[in-house]
């Protein structure tokens, strides 16, 4: 059996549903040996909703699942007919296996989950309102964004003077 890695395009946000669907499909048809592995690489992100931190998963490759399959025409059409599956990625409308180099990079990213990243990104000069701490209800502009530590350096006007303030990104909200 020649198992090779293939990229399967899915509807955005349906990567996990497609993964479960493919596993169920091969088990129901008694062809579980044709599927060696299926991966949907994700990363953890921190969201702040209603003042509460919540860690959730976000796909590293939105709209894609990666499967190591012994692919024949029958299995290709079975997977293609699943709900929320777009198509296999390939040349001339045929699935093309991924190179070992490409899949190695994808699997490495999937295994090396770092610390949760903020879901919101800030740009220099952007205006934000501080929601917590001693500077609550002050507004400031972003001077620096340290994503590794989750901190912002803001330029806040206090008593008419521009003052740099270091604060956690979860203690501010963007001004729309």
């Amino acid at each position: 059996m020649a198992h090779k890695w293939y990229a399967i395009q899915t509807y955005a946000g349906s990567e996990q549903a497609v993964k479960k669907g493919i596993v169920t499909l091969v088990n129901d048809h008694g062809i579980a040996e044709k599927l060696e592995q299926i991966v949907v690489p994700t990363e953890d992100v921190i969201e702040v909703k209603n003042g509460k931190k919540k860690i959730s998963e976000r796909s590293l490759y939105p709209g894609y699942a990666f499967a190591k399959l012994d692919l024949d025409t029958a299995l290709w059409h079975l997977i293609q007919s699943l709900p929320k599956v777009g198509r296999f990625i390939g040349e001339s409308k045929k699935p093309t296996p991924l190179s070992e180099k490409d899949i190695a990079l994808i699997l490495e990213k999937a295994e090396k989950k770092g610390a949760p990243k903020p879901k919101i990104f800030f740009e220099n000069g952007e205006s934000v309102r501080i929601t917590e701490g001693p500077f609550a209800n002050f507004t400031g502009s972003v001077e620096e964004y340290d994503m590794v530590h989750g901190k912002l350096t803001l330029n806040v006007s206090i008593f008419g003077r521009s003052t740099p303030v270091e604060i956690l990104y979860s203690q501010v909200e963007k001004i729309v």
Side-chain angles (χ1 to χ4, degrees), residues 1 8-9 27 43 49 65 85 117 122 124 137 154 163:
M1 280 188 230
I8 303 165
Q9 196 171 28
N27 289 334
E43 66 181 344
K49 282 189 178 176
V85 170
K117 294 179 181 158
F122 298 95
N124 287 355
N137 297 323
L154 302 178
T163 309

Side-chain angles (χ1 to χ4, degrees), residues 41-45 56-60 113 117:
T42 59
E43 66 181 344
D44 293 335
V45 291
S56 58
E57 278 190 339
R58 174 173 63 188
S59 181
L60 281 171
K113 277 193 178 183
K117 294 179 181 158

Side-chain angles (χ1 to χ4, degrees), residues 36-171:
E36 188 173 307
Q37 189 178 359
I38 186 161
V39 177
V40 176
T42 59
E43 66 181 344
D44 293 335
V45 291
I46 301 172
E47 288 182 85
V48 180
K49 282 189 178 176
N50 302 328
K52 293 184 178 144
K53 276 188 188 180
K54 179 183 152 199
I55 296 178
S56 58
E57 278 190 339
R58 174 173 63 188
S59 181
L60 281 171
Y61 301 97
Y64 292 94
F66 303 93
K68 191 169 187 179
L69 301 163
D70 178 17
L71 193 66
D72 56 20
T73 308
L75 182 57
W76 173 27
H77 290 296
L78 281 172
I79 292 173
Q80 195 88 26
S81 67
L82 285 172
K84 299 178 181 167
V85 170
R87 62 184 180 94
F88 276 84
I89 302 303
E91 296 172 17
S92 65
K93 297 184 181 179
K94 284 187 172 181
T96 305
L98 296 169
S99 71
E100 289 298 319
K101 188 174 118 185
D102 289 342
I103 196 62
L105 283 170
I106 292 167
L107 293 175
E108 185 181 338
K109 274 189 178 181
E111 290 168 15
K112 281 189 178 176
K113 277 193 178 183
K117 294 179 181 158
K119 192 168 186 175
I120 301 171
F121 293 98
F122 298 95
E123 293 179 22
N124 287 355
E126 189 172 11
S127 293
V128 295
R129 182 181 359 271
I130 301 172
T131 57
E132 296 176 25
F135 300 105
N137 297 323
F138 278 82
T139 58
S141 65
V142 177
E143 290 292 311
E144 192 179 320
Y145 180 32
D146 181 1
M147 197 161 66
V148 176
H149 298 101
K151 291 183 179 179
L152 290 168
T153 302
L154 302 178
N155 212 352
V156 181
S157 179
I158 302 172
F159 303 120
R161 287 190 158 171
S162 186
T163 309
V165 174
E166 195 172 270
I167 193 161
L168 294 173
Y169 80 92
S170 59
Q171 295 177 310

Side-chain angles (χ1 to χ4, degrees), residues 1-20:
M1 280 188 230
H3 288 82
K4 293 183 178 147
W5 283 99
Y6 295 91
I8 303 165
Q9 196 171 28
T10 69
Y11 293 3
S14 301
E15 300 87 2
Q16 294 294 344
V18 168
K19 178 181 176 178
K20 288 177 189 163

